[in-house]
Amino acid sequence: LFEEQLDEILAKAKKEDTDLLEAAGAVGTAAHDWLEHLIKAKDNEERRHELLAKFPLDERAANCAVAGVDWMVRHNVRWIHTERKCFSRKYGYAGTMDGLAFVDSCDDPDCCKHEFKDRKSVIDWKSSNALRVSYLFQCAAYRQAYQEETGEDIKDTWILRLDKETGEFDPWRREGQAAFEEDFKGFQNCLETCRSIERAEEW
């Protein structure tokens, strides 16, 4: 009897863990989708008002969305592209960049350590419970591909974390050419490792 009860308890616990993960994923997805729709409505005032009157139903997703809007307002963000496909002929990879925008500094020294204006920046929303180094490599890949395609110069990268569990918002800015080159080198190393693994597995 005890073993049966224990099996039942373990099965319930496992299901609860799965439910929590799915709920957390839903929070991040809802916030990301809402923000994407708001950005796409940048030239449609009626649609913007409609979205601002109806935040995501989940309180955590709504908190993420409100924090995202607050970040955009405080940094005077002017969107150039959202969900922009980009392709690198030189290195042979493709991806979809969350956004590209002009960004100004805010008055919070913990966020912006010095004043700046009109910095063309790659923007990437991340639904996760931590900031990860791999995000830097991913954004550097978008930046390289876009610059190859257009010849335009991008100054910075912003990784904007939406916490799936708490609804907290965490902005991370990567500034300048030297940082970009270091991050892109990391991406190239990962890309070559993946391709080496694929070649070995094919053999």
Side-chain angles (χ1 to χ4, degrees):
L1 180 63
F2 175 75
E3 286 181 2
E4 288 178 6
Q5 288 174 331
L6 185 61
D7 286 344
E8 185 180 341
I9 291 167
L10 290 171
K12 282 182 180 177
K14 188 174 180 182
K15 184 178 185 306
E16 283 180 9
D17 284 346
T18 302
D19 290 346
L20 284 170
L21 282 171
E22 288 176 355
V27 167
T29 300
H32 188 286
D33 288 350
W34 187 92
L35 287 162
E36 183 188 327
H37 283 105
L38 182 70
I39 295 162
K40 286 181 175 177
K42 63 187 175 70
D43 298 321
N44 185 336
E45 189 174 358
E46 186 178 339
R47 174 63 174 150
R48 277 203 321 276
H49 288 166
E50 180 187 328
L51 286 163
L52 290 167
K54 190 178 179 182
F55 281 91
L57 292 175
D58 185 279
E59 186 179 351
R60 294 165 299 173
N63 288 342
C64 286
V66 168
V69 171
D70 179 61
W71 175 82
M72 287 187 256
V73 170
R74 287 190 300 110
H75 291 86
N76 188 29
V77 176
R78 286 137 291 153
W79 293 96
I80 304 166
H81 297 294
T82 182
E83 295 297 308
R84 168 64 154 77
K85 301 278 192 301
C86 43
F87 172 64
S88 169
R89 288 180 180 275
K90 185 174 181 181
Y91 298 100
Y93 66 85
T96 303
M97 178 170 55
D98 279 351
L100 186 73
F102 288 109
V103 182
D104 299 344
S105 58
C106 70
D107 55 8
D108 179 0
D110 289 335
C111 179
C112 299
K113 300 194 185 309
H114 59 85
E115 191 175 337
F116 55 87
K117 193 170 179 61
D118 297 331
R119 301 280 289 190
K120 188 180 286 185
S121 307
V122 169
I123 313 291
D124 201 57
W125 304 98
K126 288 295 183 194
S127 304
S128 67
N129 55 11
L131 289 167
R132 296 183 172 85
V133 170
S134 60
Y135 300 162
L136 298 174
F137 297 171
Q138 181 185 6
C139 288
Y142 296 147
R143 187 166 162 176
Q144 171 65 30
Y146 183 84
Q147 290 180 148
E148 268 185 54
E149 284 184 34
T150 64
E152 297 174 16
D153 185 30
I154 296 173
K155 300 294 185 186
D156 298 334
T157 293
W158 283 89
I159 296 166
L160 307 171
R161 186 177 71 86
L162 309 169
D163 194 296
K164 298 183 290 187
E165 295 176 4
T166 65
E168 291 177 357
F169 177 79
D170 193 8
W172 199 13
R173 177 173 176 246
R174 187 74 159 153
E175 178 182 7
Q177 184 66 21
F180 158 67
E181 289 176 3
E182 186 64 30
D183 293 343
F184 188 65
K185 190 188 300 179
F187 170 77
Q188 286 177 283
N189 292 339
C190 294
L191 183 63
E192 187 52 42
T193 299
C194 288
R195 287 173 174 169
S196 295
I197 290 169
E198 285 175 2
R199 287 191 292 267
E201 287 178 342
E202 284 173 6
W203 177 84

